């Protein structure tokens, strides 16, 4: 048979790989096969982690443990979240459903208030004989119940998240700041709050909320150090059980504030830090693609903006920009050390030989590019995040085709010999873990709202097109071209920094038409599934 296109070859390879995978699992993939030995799952989430890691090409980063993990399995170099903010991203990833289905587009909507019967990854594993336990930040606490989504856990979440700090240090001030100075300031402000009769958190945060902290204290004096210790304790307990476990460990750093032990700050030289290469607005861009970095501006050591246009000025001094980048780097290395402890704990308990490990960041993070800080956009630096998956017998693979976080749910099911729930909107990534040249999907989709406008961003292996739709449009509705409020088109081969919007240019007419075709077919497909 003569193959007349690379697409045909990719399709045939995908069929072959899928047949091989099915053959290896008995081609049954059902949840009632009691004779199958099921692997454990260590599910590691890192808040605000962009792919600024050694294994992703950032050779200046000190991340030996995550790099080592990546060397033993699949690293997805073109992975994208569904929405670049904690609550919606985590709700989508943990249910395998897009934000337009979960209807979690903000940080106040609880996913089960809208979808009471929605299925989550840990819940599904629990219902299939796993002991599930979560600690740290798994879901965004504002988007689930007070039990961290009670249906997800075999062991109550509030029980597993109880932390015990060393007596010599005590708990960090405001959960983040370990230094004695910070604790003294917090104590003083607490006393003032009682006299003023105001809300404790808001009163203190308006007066003392630094964006960075470097204290010469051990890891255990910080919350993430305690989360790691808890996880290792549960590993020891779970290793004694007959049933497999699903252990979810959520680290808070490198989310703001950038507070980490001094030894991790000492890994980097401030003078060597480079500022964002393109801290400007996109040429021929779309105004509502931007924000005013409000999350960063809530910290008390950051200069206030007097006008939205200030984001493209020198409002944030270079020395402060370098300090923030330095703090982000330190926090990443701090978390890398905790990941190393988790991996050592697995090995010490003899669990490494039967445990799938997934490590992911819930979205990317802007560090001054486009004059932006934090996330909350459809730009590459916000939607792209690390995704690493290893199995006991996996080999190093770098998969560069686009994938999405909704793909994690079906992937874990297939790797664990569980039937893949039919409602999931993602695809299993197992074929790509076995053969990196197989194309699993043509594009990844992210989205982000701006009041009544929703931007849908499609990322292929080379291009990104963001279509901004007006009048509260959602992909639950038929596509309506009259509602297009703006279009962005980026070519990462010619313009990796997104300096220019190519939408509307004659040279990119065919590319834009193809991308728009993708978007229309995506909407049509989702109309059927919602």
């Amino acid at each position: 048979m003569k193959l007349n296109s690379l697409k045909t070859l990719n399709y045939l390879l995908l069929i072959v790989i899928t047949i091989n995978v099915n053959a290896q699992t008995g081609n049954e993939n059902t949840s009632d096969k009691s004779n199958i030995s099921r692997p454990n799952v260590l599910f590691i989430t890192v808040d605000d982690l962009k792919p600024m890691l050694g294994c992703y090409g950032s050779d200046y980063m000190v991340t030996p443990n995550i790099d080592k993990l990546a060397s033993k399995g699949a690293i997805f170099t073109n992975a994208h979240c569904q929405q670049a903010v904690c609550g919606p991203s985590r709700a989508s990833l943990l249910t395998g459903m897009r934000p337009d289905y979960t209807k979690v587009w903000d940080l106040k909507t609880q996913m089960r208030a809208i979808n009471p019967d929605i299925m989550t990854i840990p819940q599904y594993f629990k219902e299939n004989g796993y002991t599930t336990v979560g600690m740290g930040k798994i879901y965004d606490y504002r988007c689930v119940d007070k039990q961290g989504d009670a249906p997800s856990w075999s062991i109550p979440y509030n029980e597993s998240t109880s932390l015990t700090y060393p007596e010599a240090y005590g708990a960090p001030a405001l959960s983040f700041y370990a230094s004695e100075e910070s604790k003294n300031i917090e104590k003083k402000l607490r006393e003032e709050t009682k006299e003023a009769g105001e809300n404790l958190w808001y009163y203190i945060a308006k007066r003392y909320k630094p964006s960075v902290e470097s204290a010469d204290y051990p890891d255990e004096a910080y919350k993430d150090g305690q989360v790691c210790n808890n996880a290792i304790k549960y590993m020891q307990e779970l290793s004694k059980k007959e049933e497999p476990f699903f252990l979810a460990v959520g680290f808070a750093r490198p989310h703001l504030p950038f507070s980490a032990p001094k030894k991790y700050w000492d890994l980097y030289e401030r003078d060597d830090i480079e500022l964002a290469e393109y801290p400007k607005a996109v040429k021929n861009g779309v105004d509502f693609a931007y924000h005013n970095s409000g999350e960063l501006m809530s910290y008390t050591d950051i200069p206030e903006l007097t006008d939205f246009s200030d984001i493209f000025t020198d409002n944030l001094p270079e020395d402060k920009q370098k300090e923030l980048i330095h703090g982000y780097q330190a926090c990443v290395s701090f978390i890398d050390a905790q990941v190393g402890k988790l991996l050592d704990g697995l090995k010490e308990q003899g669990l490494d030989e039967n445990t799938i490990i997934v490590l992911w960041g819930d979205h990317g993070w802007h560090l001054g590019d486009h004059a932006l800080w934090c996330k909350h956009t459809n730009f590459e630096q916000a939607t792209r995040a690390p995704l690493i998956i290893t199995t006991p017998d996996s080999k190093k693979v770098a998969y560069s085709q686009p994938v999405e976080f909704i793909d994690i749910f079906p992937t874990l099911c297939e790797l664990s010999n569980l039937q893949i729930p039919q409602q999931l909107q993602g695809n299993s990534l197992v074929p790509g873990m076995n053969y990196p040249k197989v194309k699993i999907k043509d594009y990844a989709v992210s989205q982000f709202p701006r009041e009544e406008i929703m931007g849908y961003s499609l990322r292929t292996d080379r291009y990104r097109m963001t279509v901004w739709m007006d009048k509260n449009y959602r992909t639950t509705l038929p596509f309506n071209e009259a509602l297009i409020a703006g279009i962005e088109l980026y070519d990462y081969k010619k313009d990796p920094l997104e300096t220019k919007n190519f939408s509307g240019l004659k040279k990119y007419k065919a590319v834009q038409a193809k991308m728009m075709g993708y978007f229309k077919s995506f909407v049509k497909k989702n109309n059927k599934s919602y």
Side-chain angles (χ1 to χ4, degrees):
M1 180 178 66
K2 183 178 180 180
L3 298 176
N4 58 12
S5 71
L6 182 59
K7 184 174 182 181
T8 303
L9 177 59
N10 276 332
Y11 179 71
L12 291 174
L13 286 170
L14 179 57
I15 292 174
V16 171
I17 296 299
T18 303
I19 290 173
N20 281 336
V21 171
N22 287 335
Q24 291 170 12
T25 60
N27 200 28
E28 295 179 29
N29 199 27
T30 58
S31 59
D32 58 354
K33 288 173 62 184
S34 57
N35 61 325
I36 287 182
S37 176
R38 296 221 170 98
N40 305 308
V41 178
L42 175 59
F43 190 76
I44 306 171
T45 174
V46 186
D47 209 353
D48 286 13
L49 180 66
K50 64 192 289 130
M52 200 167 81
L53 303 162
C55 55
Y56 276 85
S58 299
D59 55 8
Y60 55 89
M61 290 298 296
V62 183
T63 54
N65 298 293
I66 296 176
D67 297 345
K68 184 178 179 180
L69 176 67
S71 71
K72 297 180 179 180
I75 177 172
F76 296 88
T77 60
N78 195 7
H80 296 268
C81 68
Q82 269 43 75
Q83 189 174 324
V85 63
C86 300
S89 175
R90 292 165 185 261
S92 280
L93 186 151
L94 284 152
T95 62
M97 307 299 285
R98 300 185 186 280
D100 285 357
Y101 182 93
T102 66
K103 294 182 173 57
V104 179
W105 301 294
D106 54 34
L107 295 174
K108 59 185 179 181
T109 301
Q110 292 199 359
M111 66 180 190
R112 290 194 189 273
I114 307 296
N115 300 283
D117 298 322
I118 200 166
M119 179 67 70
T120 70
I121 299 175
Q123 178 186 4
Y124 189 64
F125 274 69
K126 183 180 73 170
E127 293 180 359
N128 282 277
Y130 277 72
T131 298
T132 61
V133 56
M135 57 206 60
K137 185 175 180 180
I138 309 302
Y139 301 89
D140 188 288
Y141 68 93
R142 293 158 289 193
C143 298
V144 290
D145 57 36
K146 292 182 179 180
Q147 289 75 44
D149 191 51
S152 289
W153 313 114
S154 305
I155 298 174
Y157 180 76
N158 291 342
E159 177 184 323
S160 64
T161 55
S162 178
L163 305 178
T164 304
Y165 292 93
E167 187 175 342
Y169 304 105
L174 298 175
S175 298
F176 311 126
Y177 309 107
S179 73
E180 200 63 35
E181 177 188 5
S182 293
K183 291 174 185 175
N184 289 335
I185 292 174
E186 182 199 36
K187 183 179 179 181
K188 178 177 179 294
L189 291 173
R190 279 179 179 273
E191 293 172 357
E192 290 181 12
T193 307
K194 292 177 183 178
E195 296 177 5
E198 296 188 24
N199 178 279
L200 176 65
W201 169 259
Y202 289 109
Y203 185 88
I204 296 176
K206 284 190 296 184
R207 291 160 177 79
Y208 184 74
K209 190 183 174 187
S211 59
V212 299
E213 184 195 71
S214 171
D216 196 6
Y217 284 6
D219 295 3
E220 290 73 20
Y222 288 83
K223 186 174 182 179
D224 283 325
Q226 288 299 320
V227 169
C228 180
N229 287 349
N230 253 22
I232 293 171
K233 181 187 75 172
Y234 273 96
M235 278 182 197
Q236 295 167 351
E237 295 180 9
L238 293 168
S239 67
K240 301 171 186 177
K241 294 179 176 288
E242 291 186 5
E243 64 267 22
F245 64 77
F246 182 100
L247 176 60
V249 185
F251 294 117
R253 306 277 77 77
H255 192 290
L256 282 165
F258 300 145
S259 54
K262 179 178 178 295
K263 60 183 176 182
Y264 299 107
W265 287 77
D266 292 343
L267 295 174
Y268 303 95
E269 290 291 337
R270 185 79 57 87
D271 291 341
D272 293 339
I273 292 173
E274 297 180 359
L275 300 181
E277 191 173 347
Y278 189 77
K280 302 175 183 178
V282 173
K283 299 170 186 175
N284 192 35
V286 175
D287 288 345
F288 32 78
Y290 305 95
H291 58 69
N292 64 359
S293 303
E295 181 183 350
L296 178 64
M297 296 300 159
S298 70
Y299 287 81
T300 52
D301 57 348
I302 302 297
E304 292 185 11
L305 293 175
T306 58
D307 185 84
F308 183 77
S309 62
D310 282 354
I311 68 171
F312 301 117
T313 68
D314 296 327
N315 181 67
L316 197 59
E318 286 192 4
D319 59 343
K320 185 60 182 178
Q321 293 185 49
K322 284 195 172 187
E323 183 183 45
L324 289 169
I325 296 171
H326 191 178
Y328 187 91
Q329 293 174 338
C331 287
V332 171
S333 290
F334 172 41
I335 296 306
D336 177 80
Q338 309 318 302
V339 171
K341 293 174 188 177
L342 292 181
L343 300 181
D344 289 343
L346 270 184
K347 191 168 185 178
E348 288 171 7
Q349 297 300 317
L351 298 169
D352 57 318
E353 297 179 0
N354 190 36
T355 300
I356 298 166
I357 303 173
V358 183
L359 184 144
W360 52 280
D362 56 352
H363 43 67
W365 221 82
H366 292 286
L367 284 171
D369 61 286
H370 300 103
L372 294 167
W373 296 83
C374 312
K375 48 267 190 184
H376 312 119
T377 76
N378 280 320
F379 287 119
E380 183 84 350
Q381 294 299 320
T383 72
R384 182 170 172 252
L387 174 58
I388 300 169
I389 303 176
T390 72
T391 68
D393 58 353
S394 61
K395 297 180 181 179
K396 183 179 180 179
V397 168
Y399 189 82
S400 61
Q401 297 294 331
V403 302
E404 306 171 273
F405 280 178
I406 55 171
D407 298 330
I408 294 175
F409 197 156
T411 302
L412 282 177
C413 289
E414 183 167 352
L415 291 174
S416 304
N417 300 302
L418 298 178
Q419 183 176 2
I420 298 174
Q422 292 184 353
Q423 79 273 12
L424 300 185
Q425 294 178 312
N427 301 92
S428 172
L429 301 177
V430 170
M433 295 176 67
N434 290 308
Y435 193 80
K437 293 185 179 180
V438 169
K439 179 175 281 192
I440 297 172
K441 54 182 56 180
D442 290 318
Y443 52 84
V445 182
S446 304
Q447 63 186 94
F448 209 91
R450 294 281 188 256
E451 296 183 352
E452 292 187 354
I453 299 174
M454 178 68 79
Y456 292 94
S457 196
L458 279 67
R459 177 63 156 94
T460 67
D461 55 353
R462 175 173 174 175
Y463 301 102
R464 175 188 298 278
M465 185 183 73
T466 301
V467 183
W468 294 92
M469 301 292 289
D470 205 350
K471 307 297 183 184
N472 291 314
Y473 174 82
R474 298 291 185 269
T475 54
T476 52
L477 302 170
F479 177 73
N480 185 347
E481 194 164 356
L483 296 180
I484 295 177
I487 298 176
E488 297 171 85
L489 180 63
Y490 300 104
D491 180 346
Y492 293 104
K493 183 176 181 180
K494 293 188 176 181
D495 183 28
L497 299 179
E498 300 166 324
T499 67
K500 185 176 182 179
N501 177 14
F502 294 104
S503 174
L505 297 185
K506 184 177 180 180
K507 186 177 180 181
Y508 283 84
K509 185 177 180 180
V511 172
Q512 185 163 332
K514 183 176 182 179
M515 296 293 286
M516 187 59 73
Y518 281 153
F519 181 51
K520 290 178 180 178
S521 63
F522 168 75
V523 172
K524 187 175 182 179
K525 178 182 178 182
N526 282 320
N527 279 180
K528 296 178 181 179
S529 62
Y530 290 140

